[in-house]
Amino acid sequence: MTVPQDPRILNDYIYKCAATLLSCGIDPERTILYQQSRVPYHGQLSWILGCRVTVPQLSRMHQFKSKSDGLTEVPLGLFTYPVLQAADILLFRGTHVPIGEDQLQHLELCRNIAEKFNNAYATEFFPIPVPIESEFTRLKSLRDPKKKMSKSDPDAGSRIELVDPADKIEKKIRKSVTDSMRLVSYDPKARPGLSTLIDLEAACTDLLPEEIAERCLLQATDKAEYKKHVTKVLVDHLRPIQNKYLKLMNDKNYLDCVLDEGARKANLIAEKNFFDICKIIGSR
């Protein structure tokens, strides 16, 4: 919500997001899946933590610089968003955070906030969270390999979405920007566009990018052939996820039940932790 949203689209997105996570294997029996806005302690803790962050710290955030670039009026929510992210983690005393390369700076800020809080109040209440990084921390845009692949990119052709139908995936991969070399090789720095296609295949299989590149070299696979191959790999890999997604989107009562139960469980934990935080700072 750091940028204006159509309320109807935003509400529908909640269901889509929940269905996507469940389709990818999140088990609500083992994981608390909930809607952030239904746990008010996120915002309250964000205010407390924000009082320990400086304007220069937030001004240095790379994402703020890139997303505010060109805006005549910068929303305050965009500026303070990293503090809310820190509250999301620290409210539940998170110890490990799955994260992409582009969010490492925000997690470092979160760690700094936790350390400042603990030192200020002579406590060890907040753990210092550590990142869990994937092998594929920063896929490049299919349309501009100099940029990262992002769901917020206005060009939908720049990314593969989990619910993209086969024909759309084929079109996006076919039109993806690579380079003038004919054969396939893996070199993220010199050939970022093609290397992203190899990373996509590796993410969907048990193969390493280097193994894929070696296979392509032995078979003298050219880029056009390889793009067709990557398309098939993606379509086959996403098919069961998409089938489950469509089934879940047709059962919003079930999604409501999952989110209701998740919010109930999350509030129980958050309420206790927030009460303890308030006791530490002296407001209770």
Side-chain angles (χ1 to χ4, degrees):
M1 294 181 68
T2 51
V3 294
Q5 300 284 343
D6 183 316
R8 293 166 298 179
I9 294 175
L10 182 62
N11 185 257
D12 191 48
Y13 184 73
I14 293 167
Y15 287 109
K16 288 180 177 178
C17 187
T20 299
L21 291 169
L22 293 169
S23 299
C24 288
I26 295 294
D27 183 354
E29 296 299 318
R30 299 176 59 194
T31 303
I32 300 176
L33 183 62
Y34 69 98
Q35 185 181 333
Q36 182 202 49
S37 58
R38 294 178 61 180
V39 181
Y41 303 102
H42 284 274
Q44 294 179 52
L45 180 57
S46 180
W47 169 257
I48 292 172
L49 299 181
C51 293
R52 300 213 159 261
V53 181
T54 66
V55 170
Q57 276 183 299
L58 294 179
S59 299
R60 288 194 292 269
M61 297 294 105
H62 301 316
Q63 284 217 333
F64 170 72
K65 290 179 181 178
S66 63
K67 292 191 175 184
S68 62
D69 185 38
L71 295 180
T72 54
E73 295 184 344
V74 180
L76 178 62
L78 183 61
F79 187 63
T80 59
Y81 184 65
V83 183
L84 179 60
Q85 283 186 310
D88 294 341
I89 297 165
L90 298 177
L91 178 60
F92 295 94
R93 305 179 75 187
T95 58
H96 295 75
V97 183
I99 198 167
E101 182 183 303
D102 60 317
Q103 291 292 327
L104 282 173
Q105 190 187 34
H106 286 185
L107 183 59
E108 192 56 41
L109 177 69
C110 174
R111 289 165 55 86
N112 179 265
I113 291 171
E115 288 174 346
K116 274 189 175 181
F117 183 95
N118 288 348
N119 291 337
Y121 295 103
T123 181
E124 294 183 354
F125 183 80
F126 287 136
I128 309 303
V130 296
I132 302 175
E133 294 185 68
S134 164
E135 294 178 58
F136 312 102
T137 56
R138 192 160 187 171
L139 293 170
K140 299 299 183 181
S141 163
L142 297 177
R143 302 303 300 154
D144 182 359
K146 296 189 295 294
K147 297 164 50 180
K148 73 181 183 74
M149 188 181 289
S150 171
K151 66 181 182 297
S152 60
D153 193 316
D155 182 358
S158 67
R159 60 186 174 271
I160 299 295
E161 300 191 11
L162 293 176
V163 296
D164 278 343
D167 60 335
K168 190 171 286 189
I169 292 174
E170 188 278 330
K171 183 178 180 181
K172 288 180 178 182
I173 296 297
R174 176 166 44 85
K175 291 192 170 186
S176 64
V177 175
T178 52
D179 52 53
S180 59
M181 296 173 64
R182 187 177 69 86
L183 295 179
V184 175
S185 64
Y186 186 71
D187 189 337
K189 290 186 177 179
R191 309 187 72 187
L194 186 61
S195 296
T196 285
L197 299 184
I198 294 174
D199 281 338
L200 285 172
E201 179 182 356
C204 296
T205 64
D206 293 326
L207 298 172
L208 295 172
E210 293 78 11
E211 292 174 329
I212 295 170
E214 184 178 2
R215 181 199 69 211
C216 291
L217 179 64
L218 292 173
Q219 297 175 354
T221 306
D222 65 29
K223 285 188 303 184
E225 292 177 296
Y226 186 64
K227 284 186 174 184
K228 292 177 182 178
H229 173 74
V230 173
T231 297
K232 184 179 186 307
V233 169
L234 286 169
V235 169
D236 290 346
H237 183 74
L238 294 178
R239 184 177 295 114
I241 294 173
Q242 293 176 350
N243 289 340
K244 187 171 182 180
Y245 173 84
L246 291 173
K247 183 178 179 181
L248 287 168
M249 285 301 290
N250 286 321
D251 190 358
K252 290 187 176 178
N253 286 335
Y254 172 74
L255 294 176
D256 282 330
C257 288
V258 169
L259 293 175
D260 287 347
E261 181 63 8
R264 185 188 69 79
K265 290 179 179 178
N267 270 299
L268 287 175
I269 299 170
E271 183 177 25
K272 179 186 181 306
N273 287 346
F274 189 72
F275 180 81
D276 290 342
I277 291 165
C278 288
K279 282 173 61 179
I280 291 170
I281 67 174
S283 65
R284 287 280 176 92

